Amino acid sequence: MSKIIVKNAEQIEGIRKANQAVANLLKRVKPYVKSGVTTKEIDDMIHGWMDEEGLISGSLNYGQPPFPGATCISVNHVVCHGIPGDRALKEGDIVNIDICLAKDGFFGDSSQMFCIGEVSILAKRLVDVTYECMMLGIEEVKPGAPFRNIGRAIQKHAHAHHYSVVQDFCGHGVGLSLHEAPQVLHYDSPLVTEIMEPGMIFTIEPMINVGKAAVKVLGDGWTAVTRDRSLTAQWEHAVLVTEEGYEILSLPTI
């Protein structure tokens, strides 16, 4: 198992700026995420802003097959890794936009949910509870705490609302590269034995389903969907373990 990297002050500041850049892009794009706009148009817009600011997409050409978008845009029953395309957003959709990027050699990663117009009570509640799950996970972050506490808190809250937690994907260390140790599970598991230390940076990004937890990846090799086609939501922040507790790094500065 890879060792969790404890970052020094200079690295932390670089990673903070990379995550702030992600958060600024997510805030900047919000007015354009509306009915009638295609996910490809949103992706092109964000990619253009990245180019203007000297930022490098962490998604574009990542992995095998190479991911074709500068961002991941996942709509309704798409759990994650949605490929931007010609699908126009419509009233009632819920959408996750996930941005990862490199700035001056450091990496940032965050995602947000967007509601298109008036969404159903079911969809709005799912989006809200998923955000609450992420924040409850974040509140477990402090020196000396087991990483297992994060998953336990998220799972407890999701199950209390009769939702399921996706187990096929997880949070991860981030900063010097896009994906580092540890894997941050969003459900309780006795296999998680790592302990948090100041200077560790990782994402917490629960994916919560209205229906069952099972997912499948489509033939494009990337798009993950709920097997029962139920609605799903995800929020993501990058978090630093501080001497006293935590700092959310992926907050906007604009």
Short mmCIF file of all heavy atoms in Angstrom, two decimals, residues 110-168:
data_model
loop_
_atom_site.label_atom_id
_atom_site.label_comp_id
_atom_site.label_asym_id
_atom_site.label_seq_id
_atom_site.Cartn_x
_atom_site.Cartn_y
_atom_site.Cartn_z
N SER A 110 -12.51 19.11 -7.13
CA SER A 110 -13.74 19.38 -6.40
C SER A 110 -14.91 19.23 -7.36
O SER A 110 -14.75 19.32 -8.58
CB SER A 110 -13.72 20.81 -5.82
OG SER A 110 -14.88 21.08 -5.07
N SER A 111 -16.10 18.99 -6.80
CA SER A 111 -17.30 18.92 -7.65
C SER A 111 -18.49 19.48 -6.91
O SER A 111 -18.51 19.52 -5.67
CB SER A 111 -17.57 17.49 -8.12
OG SER A 111 -18.23 16.74 -7.12
N GLN A 112 -19.48 19.92 -7.69
CA GLN A 112 -20.71 20.47 -7.12
C GLN A 112 -21.91 19.96 -7.88
O GLN A 112 -21.82 19.61 -9.07
CB GLN A 112 -20.70 22.00 -7.20
CG GLN A 112 -19.71 22.69 -6.29
CD GLN A 112 -19.81 24.20 -6.38
OE1 GLN A 112 -20.80 24.75 -6.87
NE2 GLN A 112 -18.77 24.87 -5.92
N MET A 113 -23.05 19.97 -7.20
CA MET A 113 -24.33 19.67 -7.84
C MET A 113 -25.02 20.97 -8.26
O MET A 113 -24.92 21.99 -7.57
CB MET A 113 -25.24 18.91 -6.89
CG MET A 113 -24.79 17.51 -6.53
SD MET A 113 -24.68 16.37 -7.93
CE MET A 113 -26.39 16.32 -8.50
N PHE A 114 -25.72 20.90 -9.39
CA PHE A 114 -26.50 22.03 -9.90
C PHE A 114 -27.90 21.52 -10.21
O PHE A 114 -28.06 20.45 -10.80
CB PHE A 114 -25.87 22.60 -11.17
CG PHE A 114 -24.49 23.15 -10.97
CD1 PHE A 114 -23.37 22.31 -10.98
CD2 PHE A 114 -24.28 24.51 -10.77
CE1 PHE A 114 -22.09 22.81 -10.80
CE2 PHE A 114 -23.00 25.02 -10.58
CZ PHE A 114 -21.91 24.18 -10.60
N CYS A 115 -28.91 22.28 -9.81
CA CYS A 115 -30.30 21.94 -10.12
C CYS A 115 -30.77 22.82 -11.27
O CYS A 115 -30.59 24.05 -11.23
CB CYS A 115 -31.19 22.17 -8.90
SG CYS A 115 -30.85 21.06 -7.51
N ILE A 116 -31.34 22.19 -12.30
CA ILE A 116 -31.78 22.93 -13.48
C ILE A 116 -33.24 23.31 -13.30
O ILE A 116 -34.14 22.46 -13.35
CB ILE A 116 -31.58 22.09 -14.76
CG1 ILE A 116 -30.15 21.54 -14.84
CG2 ILE A 116 -31.91 22.93 -15.99
CD1 ILE A 116 -29.05 22.57 -14.76
N GLY A 117 -33.48 24.61 -13.10
CA GLY A 117 -34.84 25.09 -12.90
C GLY A 117 -35.48 24.47 -11.67
O GLY A 117 -34.82 24.24 -10.65
N GLU A 118 -36.76 24.20 -11.76
CA GLU A 118 -37.49 23.57 -10.67
C GLU A 118 -37.29 22.04 -10.76
O GLU A 118 -37.66 21.43 -11.76
CB GLU A 118 -38.98 23.91 -10.78
CG GLU A 118 -39.30 25.36 -10.47
CD GLU A 118 -39.03 25.73 -9.01
OE1 GLU A 118 -39.31 24.89 -8.14
OE2 GLU A 118 -38.54 26.84 -8.77
N VAL A 119 -36.70 21.49 -9.72
CA VAL A 119 -36.50 20.04 -9.70
C VAL A 119 -37.50 19.43 -8.73
O VAL A 119 -38.10 20.12 -7.90
CB VAL A 119 -35.06 19.67 -9.30
CG1 VAL A 119 -34.05 20.32 -10.24
CG2 VAL A 119 -34.74 20.04 -7.86
N SER A 120 -37.67 18.13 -8.81
CA SER A 120 -38.63 17.44 -7.94
C SER A 120 -38.17 17.52 -6.48
O SER A 120 -36.99 17.73 -6.18
CB SER A 120 -38.76 15.98 -8.36
OG SER A 120 -37.55 15.27 -8.08
N ILE A 121 -39.14 17.34 -5.59
CA ILE A 121 -38.82 17.31 -4.16
C ILE A 121 -37.83 16.19 -3.87
O ILE A 121 -36.88 16.36 -3.10
CB ILE A 121 -40.11 17.13 -3.34
CG1 ILE A 121 -41.01 18.35 -3.49
CG2 ILE A 121 -39.79 16.88 -1.87
CD1 ILE A 121 -42.38 18.19 -2.87
N LEU A 122 -38.00 15.05 -4.53
CA LEU A 122 -37.10 13.91 -4.36
C LEU A 122 -35.67 14.28 -4.75
O LEU A 122 -34.71 14.00 -4.02
CB LEU A 122 -37.58 12.73 -5.22
CG LEU A 122 -36.68 11.49 -5.24
CD1 LEU A 122 -36.75 10.75 -3.91
CD2 LEU A 122 -37.08 10.56 -6.38
N ALA A 123 -35.53 14.94 -5.91
CA ALA A 123 -34.19 15.31 -6.39
C ALA A 123 -33.54 16.34 -5.48
O ALA A 123 -32.36 16.23 -5.13
CB ALA A 123 -34.29 15.84 -7.82
N LYS A 124 -34.32 17.35 -5.07
CA LYS A 124 -33.77 18.40 -4.21
C LYS A 124 -33.34 17.82 -2.87
O LYS A 124 -32.27 18.19 -2.34
CB LYS A 124 -34.84 19.48 -3.99
CG LYS A 124 -34.38 20.66 -3.12
CD LYS A 124 -33.28 21.45 -3.81
CE LYS A 124 -33.04 22.80 -3.13
NZ LYS A 124 -32.53 22.67 -1.75
N ARG A 125 -34.13 16.91 -2.32
CA ARG A 125 -33.77 16.32 -1.03
C ARG A 125 -32.50 15.48 -1.17
O ARG A 125 -31.63 15.52 -0.29
CB ARG A 125 -34.93 15.45 -0.52
CG ARG A 125 -34.72 14.96 0.90
CD ARG A 125 -34.81 16.11 1.88
NE ARG A 125 -34.39 15.71 3.23
CZ ARG A 125 -33.53 16.38 3.97
NH1 ARG A 125 -32.97 17.48 3.52
NH2 ARG A 125 -33.23 15.97 5.18
N LEU A 126 -32.38 14.74 -2.26
CA LEU A 126 -31.17 13.95 -2.48
C LEU A 126 -29.94 14.84 -2.56
O LEU A 126 -28.90 14.55 -1.95
CB LEU A 126 -31.30 13.13 -3.77
CG LEU A 126 -30.05 12.37 -4.20
CD1 LEU A 126 -29.70 11.26 -3.20
CD2 LEU A 126 -30.22 11.79 -5.60
N VAL A 127 -30.03 15.92 -3.32
CA VAL A 127 -28.90 16.85 -3.45
C VAL A 127 -28.52 17.42 -2.09
O VAL A 127 -27.33 17.48 -1.74
CB VAL A 127 -29.26 17.98 -4.44
CG1 VAL A 127 -28.22 19.10 -4.40
CG2 VAL A 127 -29.37 17.43 -5.86
N ASP A 128 -29.52 17.81 -1.30
CA ASP A 128 -29.25 18.40 0.01
C ASP A 128 -28.64 17.38 0.98
O ASP A 128 -27.68 17.69 1.70
CB ASP A 128 -30.53 18.97 0.61
CG ASP A 128 -31.02 20.21 -0.13
OD1 ASP A 128 -30.24 20.78 -0.91
OD2 ASP A 128 -32.19 20.60 0.09
N VAL A 129 -29.20 16.18 1.02
CA VAL A 129 -28.70 15.16 1.94
C VAL A 129 -27.28 14.73 1.55
O VAL A 129 -26.44 14.49 2.44
CB VAL A 129 -29.66 13.95 1.99
CG1 VAL A 129 -29.02 12.78 2.75
CG2 VAL A 129 -30.97 14.34 2.66
N THR A 130 -26.99 14.67 0.26
CA THR A 130 -25.64 14.31 -0.17
C THR A 130 -24.64 15.36 0.27
O THR A 130 -23.53 15.03 0.72
CB THR A 130 -25.60 14.13 -1.70
OG1 THR A 130 -26.56 13.14 -2.08
CG2 THR A 130 -24.22 13.68 -2.16
N TYR A 131 -25.02 16.63 0.18
CA TYR A 131 -24.15 17.70 0.69
C TYR A 131 -23.93 17.53 2.20
O TYR A 131 -22.80 17.66 2.69
CB TYR A 131 -24.76 19.07 0.40
CG TYR A 131 -23.91 20.22 0.89
CD1 TYR A 131 -22.82 20.68 0.14
CD2 TYR A 131 -24.17 20.84 2.11
CE1 TYR A 131 -22.03 21.72 0.60
CE2 TYR A 131 -23.40 21.88 2.58
CZ TYR A 131 -22.33 22.32 1.81
OH TYR A 131 -21.54 23.35 2.28
N GLU A 132 -25.01 17.25 2.90
CA GLU A 132 -24.89 17.03 4.35
C GLU A 132 -23.97 15.85 4.65
O GLU A 132 -23.17 15.90 5.60
CB GLU A 132 -26.28 16.77 4.95
CG GLU A 132 -27.20 17.98 4.92
CD GLU A 132 -28.66 17.63 5.15
OE1 GLU A 132 -28.95 16.44 5.43
OE2 GLU A 132 -29.52 18.54 5.04
N CYS A 133 -24.06 14.79 3.85
CA CYS A 133 -23.17 13.63 4.03
C CYS A 133 -21.71 14.05 3.89
O CYS A 133 -20.86 13.67 4.71
CB CYS A 133 -23.50 12.55 3.00
SG CYS A 133 -24.96 11.57 3.35
N MET A 134 -21.41 14.83 2.85
CA MET A 134 -20.03 15.29 2.67
C MET A 134 -19.56 16.11 3.86
O MET A 134 -18.46 15.89 4.40
CB MET A 134 -19.91 16.13 1.40
CG MET A 134 -18.52 16.74 1.21
SD MET A 134 -18.41 17.89 -0.18
CE MET A 134 -19.46 19.24 0.40
N MET A 135 -20.39 17.05 4.31
CA MET A 135 -19.98 17.91 5.41
C MET A 135 -19.83 17.13 6.72
O MET A 135 -18.91 17.42 7.50
CB MET A 135 -20.99 19.06 5.59
CG MET A 135 -21.00 20.05 4.42
SD MET A 135 -19.36 20.73 4.01
CE MET A 135 -18.91 21.53 5.56
N LEU A 136 -20.68 16.16 6.96
CA LEU A 136 -20.53 15.32 8.15
C LEU A 136 -19.24 14.52 8.09
O LEU A 136 -18.57 14.33 9.12
CB LEU A 136 -21.74 14.40 8.30
CG LEU A 136 -23.03 15.08 8.74
CD1 LEU A 136 -24.22 14.15 8.56
CD2 LEU A 136 -22.93 15.53 10.20
N GLY A 137 -18.87 14.06 6.89
CA GLY A 137 -17.59 13.38 6.72
C GLY A 137 -16.43 14.32 7.00
O GLY A 137 -15.46 13.96 7.70
N ILE A 138 -16.53 15.55 6.49
CA ILE A 138 -15.46 16.53 6.69
C ILE A 138 -15.30 16.85 8.17
O ILE A 138 -14.17 17.02 8.67
CB ILE A 138 -15.76 17.81 5.88
CG1 ILE A 138 -15.57 17.53 4.38
CG2 ILE A 138 -14.85 18.97 6.30
CD1 ILE A 138 -16.02 18.66 3.46
N GLU A 139 -16.40 16.92 8.89
CA GLU A 139 -16.33 17.25 10.32
C GLU A 139 -15.63 16.19 11.15
O GLU A 139 -15.25 16.46 12.31
CB GLU A 139 -17.74 17.51 10.84
CG GLU A 139 -18.32 18.83 10.34
CD GLU A 139 -19.81 18.98 10.62
OE1 GLU A 139 -20.36 18.15 11.39
OE2 GLU A 139 -20.41 19.92 10.07
N GLU A 140 -15.42 15.02 10.58
CA GLU A 140 -14.68 13.96 11.28
C GLU A 140 -13.16 14.11 11.12
O GLU A 140 -12.38 13.35 11.72
CB GLU A 140 -15.10 12.59 10.75
CG GLU A 140 -16.54 12.21 11.06
CD GLU A 140 -16.81 12.05 12.54
OE1 GLU A 140 -15.89 11.69 13.28
OE2 GLU A 140 -17.97 12.28 12.94
N VAL A 141 -12.74 15.09 10.32
CA VAL A 141 -11.31 15.24 10.01
C VAL A 141 -10.60 16.01 11.13
O VAL A 141 -10.95 17.15 11.44
CB VAL A 141 -11.13 15.96 8.66
CG1 VAL A 141 -9.64 16.23 8.39
CG2 VAL A 141 -11.73 15.13 7.53
N LYS A 142 -9.61 15.37 11.74
CA LYS A 142 -8.77 16.00 12.76
C LYS A 142 -7.58 15.08 13.02
O LYS A 142 -7.63 13.87 12.77
CB LYS A 142 -9.56 16.24 14.04
CG LYS A 142 -10.14 15.00 14.68
CD LYS A 142 -10.98 15.37 15.89
CE LYS A 142 -11.64 14.12 16.49
NZ LYS A 142 -12.51 14.47 17.64
N PRO A 143 -6.49 15.64 13.55
CA PRO A 143 -5.31 14.81 13.81
C PRO A 143 -5.63 13.68 14.79
O PRO A 143 -6.35 13.88 15.77
CB PRO A 143 -4.32 15.79 14.43
CG PRO A 143 -4.78 17.14 14.04
CD PRO A 143 -6.27 17.05 13.90
N GLY A 144 -5.13 12.50 14.48
CA GLY A 144 -5.32 11.36 15.36
C GLY A 144 -6.60 10.59 15.13
O GLY A 144 -6.81 9.53 15.74
N ALA A 145 -7.46 11.11 14.27
CA ALA A 145 -8.73 10.43 14.03
C ALA A 145 -8.56 9.34 12.97
O ALA A 145 -7.80 9.50 12.02
CB ALA A 145 -9.79 11.43 13.57
N PRO A 146 -9.29 8.23 13.10
CA PRO A 146 -9.24 7.20 12.07
C PRO A 146 -9.98 7.65 10.81
O PRO A 146 -11.04 8.28 10.89
CB PRO A 146 -9.98 6.01 12.71
CG PRO A 146 -10.11 6.35 14.16
CD PRO A 146 -10.10 7.83 14.25
N PHE A 147 -9.43 7.33 9.64
CA PHE A 147 -10.12 7.62 8.39
C PHE A 147 -11.48 6.91 8.34
O PHE A 147 -12.41 7.37 7.68
CB PHE A 147 -9.27 7.20 7.19
CG PHE A 147 -8.29 8.24 6.75
CD1 PHE A 147 -7.00 8.26 7.25
CD2 PHE A 147 -8.65 9.21 5.82
CE1 PHE A 147 -6.09 9.23 6.85
CE2 PHE A 147 -7.75 10.18 5.42
CZ PHE A 147 -6.46 10.19 5.92
N ARG A 148 -11.59 5.81 9.06
CA ARG A 148 -12.84 5.06 9.06
C ARG A 148 -14.02 5.92 9.54
O ARG A 148 -15.16 5.70 9.12
CB ARG A 148 -12.68 3.83 9.96
CG ARG A 148 -13.91 2.93 10.01
CD ARG A 148 -13.67 1.71 10.88
NE ARG A 148 -14.87 0.87 10.92
CZ ARG A 148 -14.96 -0.28 11.59
NH1 ARG A 148 -13.90 -0.72 12.27
NH2 ARG A 148 -16.08 -0.97 11.58
N ASN A 149 -13.74 6.89 10.40
CA ASN A 149 -14.82 7.74 10.93
C ASN A 149 -15.55 8.49 9.83
O ASN A 149 -16.75 8.78 9.96
CB ASN A 149 -14.26 8.74 11.95
CG ASN A 149 -13.82 8.08 13.24
OD1 ASN A 149 -13.90 6.86 13.39
ND2 ASN A 149 -13.32 8.88 14.17
N ILE A 150 -14.83 8.83 8.75
CA ILE A 150 -15.44 9.58 7.65
C ILE A 150 -16.55 8.75 7.01
O ILE A 150 -17.69 9.21 6.87
CB ILE A 150 -14.38 9.98 6.60
CG1 ILE A 150 -13.34 10.92 7.22
CG2 ILE A 150 -15.04 10.60 5.37
CD1 ILE A 150 -12.14 11.19 6.32
N GLY A 151 -16.21 7.53 6.63
CA GLY A 151 -17.19 6.66 6.00
C GLY A 151 -18.35 6.33 6.91
O GLY A 151 -19.51 6.25 6.47
N ARG A 152 -18.05 6.14 8.18
CA ARG A 152 -19.11 5.79 9.14
C ARG A 152 -20.13 6.93 9.23
O ARG A 152 -21.35 6.68 9.24
CB ARG A 152 -18.50 5.51 10.51
CG ARG A 152 -19.50 5.12 11.56
CD ARG A 152 -18.82 4.94 12.90
NE ARG A 152 -17.99 3.75 12.93
CZ ARG A 152 -16.80 3.67 13.52
NH1 ARG A 152 -16.28 4.75 14.10
NH2 ARG A 152 -16.11 2.55 13.52
N ALA A 153 -19.66 8.18 9.31
CA ALA A 153 -20.56 9.32 9.44
C ALA A 153 -21.42 9.49 8.18
O ALA A 153 -22.63 9.77 8.26
CB ALA A 153 -19.75 10.59 9.70
N ILE A 154 -20.79 9.32 7.01
CA ILE A 154 -21.52 9.47 5.75
C ILE A 154 -22.59 8.38 5.62
O ILE A 154 -23.75 8.66 5.30
CB ILE A 154 -20.54 9.42 4.56
CG1 ILE A 154 -19.68 10.69 4.56
CG2 ILE A 154 -21.29 9.25 3.24
CD1 ILE A 154 -18.51 10.63 3.59
N GLN A 155 -22.20 7.15 5.88
CA GLN A 155 -23.13 6.03 5.75
C GLN A 155 -24.31 6.17 6.70
O GLN A 155 -25.47 5.94 6.31
CB GLN A 155 -22.39 4.72 6.02
CG GLN A 155 -23.28 3.48 5.95
CD GLN A 155 -22.47 2.22 6.15
OE1 GLN A 155 -21.77 1.77 5.25
NE2 GLN A 155 -22.55 1.65 7.34
N LYS A 156 -24.04 6.56 7.92
CA LYS A 156 -25.11 6.71 8.92
C LYS A 156 -26.16 7.71 8.45
O LYS A 156 -27.37 7.47 8.55
CB LYS A 156 -24.51 7.13 10.26
CG LYS A 156 -25.55 7.30 11.36
CD LYS A 156 -24.88 7.72 12.67
CE LYS A 156 -25.92 7.92 13.77
NZ LYS A 156 -25.30 8.37 15.05
N HIS A 157 -25.71 8.85 7.94
CA HIS A 157 -26.64 9.90 7.52
C HIS A 157 -27.41 9.49 6.26
O HIS A 157 -28.63 9.71 6.18
CB HIS A 157 -25.89 11.20 7.26
CG HIS A 157 -26.77 12.40 7.13
ND1 HIS A 157 -27.57 12.86 8.16
CD2 HIS A 157 -27.00 13.24 6.08
CE1 HIS A 157 -28.23 13.93 7.77
NE2 HIS A 157 -27.92 14.18 6.50
N ALA A 158 -26.72 8.87 5.31
CA ALA A 158 -27.40 8.43 4.09
C ALA A 158 -28.46 7.38 4.41
O ALA A 158 -29.60 7.46 3.93
CB ALA A 158 -26.38 7.87 3.10
N HIS A 159 -28.11 6.41 5.23
CA HIS A 159 -29.05 5.34 5.56
C HIS A 159 -30.23 5.87 6.38
O HIS A 159 -31.35 5.36 6.26
CB HIS A 159 -28.33 4.23 6.31
CG HIS A 159 -27.45 3.39 5.43
ND1 HIS A 159 -26.76 2.28 5.89
CD2 HIS A 159 -27.15 3.48 4.11
CE1 HIS A 159 -26.07 1.75 4.90
NE2 HIS A 159 -26.29 2.47 3.81
N ALA A 160 -29.99 6.89 7.18
CA ALA A 160 -31.09 7.48 7.96
C ALA A 160 -32.17 8.08 7.06
O ALA A 160 -33.33 8.19 7.46
CB ALA A 160 -30.55 8.55 8.90
N HIS A 161 -31.75 8.45 5.83
CA HIS A 161 -32.70 9.00 4.86
C HIS A 161 -33.09 7.95 3.81
O HIS A 161 -33.67 8.28 2.78
CB HIS A 161 -32.10 10.23 4.19
CG HIS A 161 -32.02 11.41 5.10
ND1 HIS A 161 -30.98 11.62 5.97
CD2 HIS A 161 -32.89 12.44 5.30
CE1 HIS A 161 -31.19 12.73 6.65
NE2 HIS A 161 -32.34 13.25 6.27
N HIS A 162 -32.74 6.69 4.09
CA HIS A 162 -33.11 5.56 3.24
C HIS A 162 -32.46 5.63 1.86
O HIS A 162 -33.01 5.14 0.86
CB HIS A 162 -34.64 5.45 3.11
CG HIS A 162 -35.33 5.43 4.44
ND1 HIS A 162 -35.22 4.38 5.32
CD2 HIS A 162 -36.11 6.37 5.05
CE1 HIS A 162 -35.92 4.66 6.42
NE2 HIS A 162 -36.46 5.85 6.28
N TYR A 163 -31.27 6.25 1.81
CA TYR A 163 -30.47 6.28 0.59
C TYR A 163 -29.34 5.26 0.71
O TYR A 163 -29.00 4.80 1.81
CB TYR A 163 -29.87 7.66 0.35
CG TYR A 163 -30.86 8.77 0.14
CD1 TYR A 163 -30.60 10.06 0.59
CD2 TYR A 163 -32.07 8.55 -0.52
CE1 TYR A 163 -31.50 11.09 0.39
CE2 TYR A 163 -32.98 9.57 -0.73
CZ TYR A 163 -32.69 10.84 -0.27
OH TYR A 163 -33.58 11.86 -0.48
N SER A 164 -28.73 4.92 -0.43
CA SER A 164 -27.58 4.02 -0.43
C SER A 164 -26.31 4.78 -0.79
O SER A 164 -26.36 5.84 -1.42
CB SER A 164 -27.81 2.87 -1.43
OG SER A 164 -27.92 3.36 -2.75
N VAL A 165 -25.18 4.22 -0.38
CA VAL A 165 -23.87 4.83 -0.63
C VAL A 165 -23.13 4.00 -1.67
O VAL A 165 -22.95 2.79 -1.50
CB VAL A 165 -23.03 4.89 0.67
CG1 VAL A 165 -21.68 5.54 0.40
CG2 VAL A 165 -23.78 5.63 1.76
N VAL A 166 -22.69 4.65 -2.75
CA VAL A 166 -21.91 3.95 -3.78
C VAL A 166 -20.58 3.50 -3.18
O VAL A 166 -19.87 4.28 -2.54
CB VAL A 166 -21.68 4.88 -4.98
CG1 VAL A 166 -20.70 4.25 -5.98
CG2 VAL A 166 -23.00 5.20 -5.67
N GLN A 167 -20.24 2.23 -3.40
CA GLN A 167 -18.99 1.68 -2.85
C GLN A 167 -17.93 1.44 -3.92
O GLN A 167 -16.79 1.11 -3.58
CB GLN A 167 -19.29 0.37 -2.12
CG GLN A 167 -20.24 0.55 -0.93
CD GLN A 167 -20.35 -0.68 -0.05
OE1 GLN A 167 -19.60 -1.65 -0.20
NE2 GLN A 167 -21.28 -0.65 0.90
N ASP A 168 -18.28 1.64 -5.18
CA ASP A 168 -17.35 1.37 -6.28
C ASP A 168 -16.31 2.47 -6.48
O ASP A 168 -15.30 2.27 -7.15
CB ASP A 168 -18.11 1.15 -7.59
CG ASP A 168 -19.03 -0.06 -7.54
OD1 ASP A 168 -19.94 -0.07 -6.68
OD2 ASP A 168 -18.86 -0.97 -8.35
#
